Amino acid sequence: MGTLVRYGRGRGIVIGTGENSQFGEVFKMMQMEETPKTPLQKSMDTLGKQLSIFSFAIIGVIMLIGWLQGKSLLGMFTIGVSLAVAAIPEGLPIVVTVTLALGVMRMAKKRVIVKKLPIVETLGCCNVICSDKTGTLTANEMTATRLYTADGVHAEVGVFPQVTGVGYDGNGKVCLMPSGETVRGFSHASIARLVEAGCVCNNADIREGTLIGQPTEGALLTLAMKMGMQSVKENYSRKKELPFSSENKWMAVKCAHKTQEMEEVYFVKGALEGVLAHCSNFSQEGLSAPLTPEMKAVFANEEKRLGGLGLRVLSLASGPELGRLSFLGLIAIIDPPREGVRKAINILQQSGVAVKMVTGDALETAVAIGIFLIEHLQFNIQNFLDNKCFSQFFLLTFVFFQVSVFYRTSPKHKLKIIKALQSHKAIVGMTGDGVNDAIALKSADIGVAMGRTGTDVSKEAADMILLDDNFSTIICAIEEGKGIFYNIKNFIRFQLSTYVDVIDGFSRTLGHCLVSYSLRSIAALSLITLSTVFNLPNPLNAMQILWINIIMDGPPAQSLGVEPIDEDAIKHRPRSMQDSILSRGLIFKILLSAVFIITGTLGVFWKEAITPRTTTMTFTCFVFFDMFNALTCRSQSRLIYEVGFLRNRIFLYAVIGSILGQMAVIYLPPLQKVFQTESLYPLDLLLLTCLASSVFIVSELLKLLERHVCTCRKPPDNACSSV
């Protein structure tokens, strides 16, 4: 099961079906694994507990003070219940859901399918990505990467052609190194003869970029296409074929040229020792030279060197008959890394995400791919670990920070690696495409499967699917995750610092006044506390408070959840699982904004006697404070001119609409009767605008101060992250 038969005949013996098969074992292990909670879910749980404890504590204090002042116990209880009912902003779940949904939609445009909403944010705090090699980091397409001609005695000083381009479409070129000269056709005789032999001694075919045949032979045909020699095979008619066998380790074809009058010629390809056994000389600058034991040793050393790089080495020769062949050279083939993977891994490492390659390949291949993909990776025991150590879980958990490449792994080994990383509180992402990756994909905090080459089992186990198999798309997903979390923090800061809501009724009689507020923020809570302690009259009536509630829970607040992602979001280090949404820095900013809002609003209210004009001024002042506070809450670290006024057009329209609505409430007679307001003079509006802008100016200055402090500290691994 799981094996594709390309050619030949055979007999299959069934030794197990269903759960008793190897696929069944993988399925049972996958079913036993439970999908862990996402960091966002855990953070929201923590936030709910924090808000509840804080709110109920203050509510208790308010009720106690009111009772000591001789107020009705039933009335204070009613206030306490109304406050308790609304301890957490009802807009928060809406913003979280909408923000996540928009993130999923943006990822879909980048050809990424996200199966669960919270998964988008999970990658934002992912600090370790384990990736399968074949089909994920590599293209799963054999590609010729290096050529060594028989007259390459100069190869020891690095004179090797380097082949660019991946896949079977012929894009790329062959360049002499170190000169960089491009080789086309027969411009370089030795290379041309080497490529010609690989193209003629070949049974594969490439049609419209699709390979029909074996990948190794497809790599040789593609190499000929890159040099413009794809038609050279048509110049010969095949007379005889000696197929490849595991005993001979070579394949030979006997051909005759269709146009030139020349004797029939053999083209041979295969393992070095098998091909050299039929060679009597080697090609040197177009001439034949005797094949001495010394030259055989040179070729053997070169073959060993290329093999040590994890390359599959083919030897090629041609001649009039077997035993009198002329050795042409070596072609090294590899399953190459996907385009952009090396750059993506470098970006991930710079952003604080460790990338670990998990492969079932041998050490040589793992070393070659690992050193190429992961910068500054050196071959030593700290960076590479095989399956012999996987049984020692303690050792695995101890060295997992140093190990970058795990080789000779099985599905069980991959699961142990994931568990070891998670035991150190790491948020682990796993990428893979095969059945053997399914267990690790499900047990990881976020599993990423390949859409094109991925198996159905891996797609079912994964949380996210890359439709184009592009590993670099993970960077976009991480940016989305970080951006979503920042937008949620922006919304929370705005709501907690300015939110006022009315849950209960507002009624007034000659000798009794009962006001029931619900609070979601420091500002609202402080206003209620001050009014209760000092027996102040109500600065706002019920309709005005309801209007503020609509504005705060309406478009401006919701539009903060769709703020475009900062360009430098990927540079911020992944947030820790232990970090709360309400960090110390965020709480300080909330308190600072609340102080300015409370001081400014009460300052306007206390300035004059209680009249409709005073309440209108207080009402408008609070709304203006909200608008300026929303403006600065668009980013926790970037200044407004860096964010851009027009970048979030939804926010711009929401603020303009809210201001126009406020003007209608103030100046339209029908609404004046409903909200008990009166018209204000232009100078009044100018005064309120200048006063309300103070919260914006102070917040922007605080961002500059944070940036200056971060610059002075100069952390070595990353820029200072926003709080």
Side-chain angles (χ1 to χ4, degrees):
M1 294 179 65
T3 302
L4 299 178
V5 179
R6 290 184 176 272
Y7 64 93
R9 301 176 62 186
R11 176 181 297 178
I13 302 176
V14 179
I15 60 174
T17 59
E19 292 186 354
N20 297 323
S21 65
Q22 290 297 315
F23 277 5
E25 287 292 328
V26 173
F27 179 76
K28 285 191 293 185
M29 293 177 62
M30 188 175 67
Q31 291 298 104
M32 289 188 294
E33 291 298 321
E34 294 184 1
T35 303
K37 262 190 174 183
T38 67
L40 179 61
Q41 291 171 327
K42 297 177 182 178
S43 297
M44 296 307 296
D45 291 343
T46 304
L47 176 63
K49 294 177 182 178
Q50 291 175 337
L51 290 179
S52 299
I53 294 173
F54 175 78
S55 299
F56 283 114
I58 301 300
I59 290 168
V61 173
I62 293 175
M63 292 180 62
L64 178 60
I65 294 175
W67 179 70
L68 292 176
Q69 290 177 344
K71 294 185 178 180
S72 169
L73 184 61
L74 179 61
M76 296 309 302
F77 177 76
T78 305
I79 292 177
V81 171
S82 64
L83 292 174
V85 169
I88 298 177
E90 70 267 13
L92 180 59
I94 299 175
V95 167
V96 171
T97 303
V98 171
T99 303
L100 291 174
L102 291 174
V104 170
M105 293 174 61
R106 286 193 293 266
M107 293 306 298
K109 294 180 181 179
K110 299 175 182 177
R111 301 188 61 78
V112 177
I113 295 178
V114 180
K115 297 166 66 175
K116 300 176 183 177
L117 282 182
I119 292 301
V120 184
E121 190 274 338
T122 304
L123 270 175
C125 52
C126 178
N127 50 20
V128 179
I129 293 181
C130 297
S131 179
D132 178 53
K133 181 187 75 70
T134 306
T136 304
L137 298 179
T138 62
N140 199 22
E141 297 175 341
M142 288 293 185
T143 302
T145 57
R146 294 177 183 266
L147 287 78
Y148 173 77
T149 61
D151 53 0
V153 289
H154 308 290
E156 296 178 359
V157 293
V159 185
F160 289 103
Q162 181 182 7
V163 184
T164 63
V166 177
Y168 302 115
D169 54 6
N171 292 330
K173 57 185 179 180
V174 179
C175 300
L176 290 176
M177 300 298 290
S179 66
E181 177 188 352
T182 301
V183 180
R184 294 286 297 177
F186 286 85
S187 61
H188 194 287
S190 297
I191 294 178
R193 290 189 61 190
L194 180 65
V195 175
E196 179 188 38
C199 184
V200 177
C201 186
N202 202 308
N203 289 326
D205 190 15
I206 298 177
R207 300 175 184 175
E208 298 180 357
T210 302
L211 172 65
I212 302 175
Q214 298 187 31
T216 302
E217 293 188 330
L220 297 177
L221 288 182
T222 306
L223 176 62
M225 293 168 62
K226 293 173 182 178
M227 291 184 55
M229 298 176 59
Q230 59 269 28
S231 61
V232 69
K233 189 176 182 179
E234 301 175 0
N235 297 334
Y236 293 89
S237 59
R238 183 175 297 187
K239 302 296 183 181
K240 183 180 179 181
E241 176 182 344
L242 299 175
F244 176 87
S245 67
S246 57
E247 292 80 14
N248 295 332
K249 296 183 179 180
W250 52 265
M251 169 190 175
V253 293
K254 184 179 181 181
C255 301
H257 203 281
K258 294 181 179 179
T259 57
Q260 299 180 7
E261 294 183 0
M262 54 183 299
E263 61 180 358
E264 295 179 343
V265 59
Y266 277 90
F267 294 97
V268 181
K269 75 171 187 293
L272 179 64
E273 61 274 12
V275 174
L276 286 180
H278 296 280
C279 295
S280 59
N281 51 63
F282 69 96
S283 176
Q284 185 174 26
E285 298 181 356
L287 303 176
S288 294
L291 184 60
T292 62
E294 290 78 11
M295 290 306 303
K296 288 185 178 181
V298 171
F299 300 146
N301 289 335
E302 184 60 29
E303 190 264 350
K304 183 178 180 180
R305 188 187 72 84
L306 293 174
L309 297 176
L311 306 175
R312 183 178 181 182
V313 184
L314 288 179
S315 303
L316 295 106
S318 65
E321 62 182 45
L322 298 179
R324 295 174 53 199
L325 300 179
S326 177
F327 184 74
L328 299 176
L330 307 172
I331 296 180
I333 301 174
I334 195 174
D335 181 10
R338 290 186 179 275
E339 184 178 358
V341 168
R342 191 171 190 268
K343 180 180 179 181
I345 291 178
N346 185 34
I347 294 175
L348 290 173
Q349 289 180 323
Q350 291 178 356
S351 65
V353 181
V355 180
K356 302 181 183 299
M357 187 177 78
V358 184
T359 177
D361 289 338
L363 175 62
E364 291 79 10
T365 303
V367 170
I369 298 296
I371 291 178
F372 177 80
L373 291 178
I374 305 176
E375 287 192 3
H376 310 300
L377 180 66
Q378 298 179 351
F379 177 59
N380 53 53
I381 189 62
Q382 287 79 23
N383 292 326
F384 294 84
L385 195 68
D386 66 357
N387 56 9
K388 296 178 182 178
C389 301
F390 293 159
S391 59
Q392 306 174 29
F393 187 79
F394 172 77
L395 175 62
L396 191 60
T397 57
F398 180 74
V399 302
F400 87 100
F401 281 110
Q402 291 78 27
V403 177
S404 297
V405 177
F406 299 88
Y407 61 96
R408 289 299 188 192
T409 60
S410 68
K412 294 182 179 180
H413 297 145
K414 293 180 180 180
L415 179 60
K416 285 186 176 181
I417 294 170
I418 298 296
K419 294 297 185 183
L421 294 168
Q422 290 175 334
S423 68
H424 283 261
K425 308 300 181 183
I427 304 300
V428 184
M430 176 70 193
T431 65
D433 63 337
V435 175
N436 59 335
D437 301 320
I439 305 171
L441 288 173
K442 186 172 183 180
S443 62
D445 294 282
I446 177 169
V448 183
M450 301 295 114
R452 291 181 180 176
T453 60
T455 60
D456 292 338
V457 177
S458 65
K459 295 177 186 177
E460 180 68 24
D463 303 299
M464 192 170 77
I465 302 174
L466 306 181
L467 295 180
D468 55 0
D469 293 5
N470 189 355
F471 183 85
S472 304
T473 310
I474 293 179
I475 295 179
C476 300
I478 291 178
E479 288 179 329
E480 285 288 343
K482 292 180 178 179
I484 287 171
F485 184 74
Y486 295 151
N487 286 346
I488 293 174
K489 289 181 66 174
N490 295 340
F491 171 82
I492 291 174
R493 176 188 171 185
F494 174 62
Q495 291 263 295
L496 293 184
S497 59
T498 64
Y499 200 100
V500 176
D501 185 22
V502 171
I503 292 294
D504 241 346
F506 178 92
S507 61
R508 185 184 301 268
T509 62
L510 291 176
H512 175 73
C513 175
L514 174 63
V515 181
S516 291
Y517 293 98
S518 76
L519 67 101
R520 305 262 198 321
S521 70
I522 306 301
L525 184 58
S526 301
L527 286 173
I528 293 175
T529 303
L530 292 173
S531 299
T532 302
V533 172
F534 297 106
N535 284 317
L536 297 175
N538 300 294
L540 304 172
N541 61 51
M543 291 304 297
Q544 291 171 351
I545 296 175
L546 181 60
W547 173 254
I548 294 174
N549 174 35
I550 294 174
I551 290 181
M552 291 305 97
D553 230 4
Q558 303 298 327
S559 62
L560 289 176
V562 298
E563 189 71 29
I565 300 172
D566 290 344
E567 297 177 356
D568 59 348
I570 191 63
K571 299 179 181 179
H572 296 165
R573 299 189 67 84
R575 68 180 180 91
S576 173
M577 278 285 294
Q578 285 71 36
D579 293 343
S580 171
I581 294 181
L582 286 178
S583 62
R584 292 182 179 179
L586 184 59
I587 292 176
F588 174 76
K589 292 178 180 179
I590 291 173
L591 291 174
L592 183 65
S593 298
V595 167
F596 275 86
I597 294 173
I598 295 168
T599 304
T601 304
L602 292 181
V604 172
F605 181 66
W606 287 340
K607 184 179 179 182
E608 302 177 12
I610 306 303
T611 63
R613 181 180 181 279
T614 303
T615 57
T616 303
M617 289 281 287
T618 305
F619 174 38
T620 306
C621 180
F622 198 96
V623 172
F624 281 13
F625 264 118
D626 292 340
M627 296 300 102
F628 278 106
N629 191 42
L631 184 62
T632 191
C633 284
R634 289 181 59 189
S635 176
Q636 300 295 322
S637 59
R638 303 180 70 192
L639 301 177
I640 187 62
Y641 76 88
E642 296 174 334
V643 175
F645 281 97
L646 304 179
R647 192 179 180 198
N648 187 352
R649 294 185 179 273
I650 297 178
F651 175 83
L652 181 63
Y653 299 149
V655 171
I656 293 176
S658 299
I659 294 176
L660 292 177
Q662 182 66 21
M663 295 299 102
V665 167
I666 296 174
Y667 292 106
L668 294 182
L671 295 179
Q672 285 179 338
K673 294 180 180 180
V674 174
F675 290 93
Q676 300 178 21
T677 60
E678 67 177 35
S679 300
L680 299 178
Y681 297 109
L683 288 179
D684 293 332
L685 295 178
L686 180 61
L687 173 64
L688 294 178
T689 301
C690 295
L691 178 62
S693 64
S694 61
V695 68
F696 169 78
I697 295 173
V698 171
S699 296
E700 294 295 292
L701 291 176
L702 181 60
K703 294 177 185 178
L704 284 175
L705 179 61
E706 285 182 336
R707 184 175 300 180
H708 176 71
V709 172
C710 292
T711 304
C712 293
R713 290 178 180 175
K714 293 182 179 180
D717 51 354
N718 203 352
C720 186
S721 300
S722 62
V723 291

